[in-house]
Amino acid sequence: MRLPPKPTTTQATYLATLLTAATIQAPNPNPNHPAQIHAQLITTHNLSNPLLLTQLINLYAKSGQLTQAILTFNCARKYTNVVTWTSLIAHLTQSRHPFEAFSLFSQLKKTSTLSPNPHTFSAAFHACAQTGVRTHGSQVHALGFKHGAESSVFVASAIADMYAKCGDMAASRKVFDEMPQRNLVSWNALMVGYVRNKLYRNAIFTFQELVRDCSLAPDQVSFSSTLSACANAGELGFGQSLHAHVLKLGLEKLVYVKNSLVDMYSKCGCFSNAVEVFDPETDRDVVTWNILMMGWVHNDQFGEACSCFRSVMREGILPDEASFSTVLHALVGIAVWAQGATIHALIVKSGFAANRCVGSSLITMYAKCGTLLDAYRAFEETKNHLNIVSWTAMIAAFQQHGHGSRVIALFNEMLERGIEPDYITFVCVLSACSHNGLVEEGLKYFNSMSQTHRLAPGSEHYACVVDMLGRAGCLDDAKQFIDTMPVEPDSSVWGALLGACRNCGDLELGKEVAQKLFEMEPDNPGNYVLLSNMYASYGRLEEAKEVRRLMSSNGVKKETGCSWIDIGSTTHVFTVHDRSHRESEKIYAMLRKLEELVREKGYVADTRCAVNDMGEYKEQNLWCHSERLALAFGLISLPVSAPICIKKNLRTCGDCHTVMKIISGIIGREIVLRDTNRFHHFAGGLCSCGDYW
């Protein structure tokens, strides 16, 4: 039998050079190169060379052929050394296969001939960090301690990072404190860990320790993580001092640092500073634009946020899921269906239609624009909507449009599919029960939170139950429910009870509850207005005026009510008694005509809804409410068959609700009114809320 020729040193050197050159071309090499070199290694009998084998596996992995890398490793495992194992563990971790990486490390530990080195432990700790399973990390930590790997600074840094990503900052800090020496990676791992675990002030204190240490200078990761901590902790002062430090070191043009500065100023309420930092002359990536867009959205500047998105597209920057989700959030604020549909088309074209975050934002956008059918289509078209976020978005959409039965049906379907509801899901379900008079169902779902789903009810859930009982006229039950709550009721719960007092006409209890609310949230105008209106409805005008004077003396101003309607690409805004519109004469002429038509149908004005007006002017002033002006303008501006969609920034009054119902029957077309609470779909003289709102 003839033995195969021995590989020569010249062949091995040539192949090593070839593998090195091909690896340098990765991640965009010729996809056939790894296989071609692999064939040469086999034919020249060099596959048994651990160095060349490791290089080949490395080339496969860097070329995006991880499966082939694993197959090659398994077929030639007897020729591997610890470097080969370490390389594959690292590639599995980098490719987001942490459990496979951890499994491979466990197999290495069982071999009798090989022992992991510090680089192997470092790769294993990164895998444990990705799994987020602390038990895995502590096991590897114990083994690393046994092998003395912990003395290496980069291994110790990896251990601190692993514990931080597993949510154990106490262990992370302990490892950091016991390190014989530290480098900047160690400090950054600790600061980033604190931010990740929302221990923002600890991150700031750690940065201050780093500066006092004087042996190391903070870099862009140090500044970026600490600025993020300042943003979330509201530490504007320290954030500004960090900004000065950044300018001193000349780091302000680095994208990571700039993004963090924009985010910090935006979240700390200094958005003008954020815009200044957003320098148009320096490099900007999609994250920079996303942060600026989010800043505009948080400041209720929805039009500016949409302009930012258009700028992203003009500059040729590819939007990501955060870009699409943010611009859809902005469109919710302005409720412009046409722009939303355009963004939807772009989402489909960009391949983000199946993205869970974008999909749920699409559902919310269409629902807030008043097109429930489009929202449901977006829900159904999501390829993988079996996640709680998109289901909750659709449940919330049905709830906002007053479809209580569909909320319950969808919620039950979700449970049948094995999807566990979360905190927000139950808020939507309980709110739907409240606004549709489903008291028994609401109480059943509230009790199931703790008994079946092991969720602790929060203030929003308690407030929904109080509101539900109050709307059903069960004021005593609502008060008793609050008295037996296991937690201290907050302003949302007392606010729900105040609304229940208004619905049930209990002025004395209303006074008591309002006084609690004045102490808890003295700057909330809604509580003052509600109590004042209750006094006025009982004819106690002096006391109503006293509440208004208290409100004024506390510097609290009632938000000005306004309604708006979109005609084409233009938004027309109206306030009460508004005569600033160029079509005012036609608008008021249409109002007079509408008044005649509804009177013929037996309409009698509910003057209780004009609590701030006096005598004979009460009924007249009801006809100058902003939503009626918007309705009249829609009637003279839109095609006869088009639905009329109106938005209002406050809760619509009962008299306007009655008028909209009657008019929808007279003119034979749909009127959609979105106020702060919900959508009202008026058609054929009826409203989708069933007058239970």
Side-chain angles (χ1 to χ4, degrees), residues 11 42 75 112 121 125 185 233 235 257 279 313 385 390 394 407 428 451 471 483 530 577 590 595 602 672:
Q11 287 175 337
I42 293 172
C75 291
S112 57
F121 279 108
F125 283 123
V185 175
E235 290 286 349
V257 177
D279 183 0
M313 301 304 297
H385 62 248
S390 48
M394 195 64 237
V407 166
C428 298
Q451 295 174 3
R471 289 177 186 275
D483 292 338
L530 196 53
H577 292 289
M590 174 58 74
E595 185 176 0
V672 181

Side-chain angles (χ1 to χ4, degrees), residues 263-335:
D263 184 52
M264 184 274 294
Y265 280 120
S266 176
K267 288 181 178 176
C268 288
C270 294
F271 193 62
S272 57
N273 298 75
V275 175
E276 288 178 13
V277 173
F278 186 80
D279 183 0
E281 301 300 323
T282 59
D283 291 337
R284 297 167 296 190
D285 61 5
V286 67
V287 178
T288 319
W289 282 103
N290 289 346
I291 293 171
L292 190 66
M293 273 195 287
M294 290 175 189
W296 285 120
V297 170
H298 290 152
N299 285 272
D300 295 335
Q301 299 292 323
F302 305 116
E304 294 290 348
C306 294
S307 296
C308 271
F309 184 82
R310 289 192 288 270
S311 297
V312 170
M313 301 304 297
R314 280 197 303 269
E315 291 196 4
I317 299 173
L318 293 176
D320 60 11
E321 67 173 83
S323 313
F324 285 120
S325 294
T326 305
V327 73
L328 287 170
H329 192 172
L331 290 170
V332 166
I334 55 179

Side-chain angles (χ1 to χ4, degrees), residues 255-484:
V255 174
Y256 283 156
V257 177
K258 182 169 63 175
N259 291 352
S260 299
L261 281 168
V262 173
D263 184 52
M264 184 274 294
Y265 280 120
S266 176
K267 288 181 178 176
C268 288
C270 294
F271 193 62
S272 57
N273 298 75
V275 175
E276 288 178 13
V277 173
F278 186 80
D279 183 0
E281 301 300 323
T282 59
D283 291 337
R284 297 167 296 190
D285 61 5
V286 67
V287 178
T288 319
W289 282 103
N290 289 346
I291 293 171
L292 190 66
M293 273 195 287
M294 290 175 189
W296 285 120
V297 170
H298 290 152
N299 285 272
D300 295 335
Q301 299 292 323
F302 305 116
E304 294 290 348
C306 294
S307 296
C308 271
F309 184 82
R310 289 192 288 270
S311 297
V312 170
M313 301 304 297
R314 280 197 303 269
E315 291 196 4
I317 299 173
L318 293 176
D320 60 11
E321 67 173 83
S323 313
F324 285 120
S325 294
T326 305
V327 73
L328 287 170
H329 192 172
L331 290 170
V332 166
I334 55 179
V336 180
W337 177 89
Q339 290 186 36
T342 302
I343 297 295
H344 189 178
L346 187 59
I347 287 168
V348 173
K349 184 178 178 181
S350 303
F352 281 93
N355 182 278
R356 292 180 175 185
C357 184
V358 175
S360 60
S361 297
L362 268 173
I363 295 166
T364 302
M365 182 275 295
Y366 278 127
K368 292 285 188 179
C369 287
T371 53
L372 191 59
L373 180 60
D374 288 333
Y376 192 69
R377 283 174 179 162
F379 173 73
E380 287 192 314
E381 289 170 4
T382 304
K383 290 182 181 178
N384 182 18
H385 62 248
L386 298 181
N387 69 96
I388 189 58
V389 177
S390 48
W391 282 86
T392 298
M394 195 64 237
I395 288 171
F398 282 138
Q399 177 263 321
Q400 290 158 2
H401 285 261
H403 296 281
S405 58
R406 298 189 73 176
V407 166
I408 291 175
L410 193 62
F411 180 72
N412 289 334
E413 181 185 348
M414 185 187 80
L415 294 178
E416 288 171 5
R417 288 175 179 248
I419 300 171
E420 275 296 307
D422 64 9
Y423 188 98
I424 299 173
T425 315
F426 273 108
V427 171
C428 298
V429 171
L430 292 174
S431 181
C433 292
S434 173
H435 284 84
N436 289 271
L438 306 173
V439 177
E440 289 186 13
E441 291 89 341
L443 292 174
K444 180 187 74 173
Y445 289 126
F446 176 80
N447 291 328
S448 74
M449 284 187 66
S450 55
Q451 295 174 3
T452 305
H453 302 285
R454 298 181 180 178
L455 287 172
S459 58
E460 293 94 341
H461 305 109
Y462 288 114
C464 283
V465 173
V466 173
D467 185 61
M468 176 175 64
L469 294 170
R471 289 177 186 275
C474 306
L475 187 59
D476 291 338
D477 291 338
K479 184 65 169 63
Q480 184 180 0
F481 179 80
I482 293 177
D483 292 338
T484 57

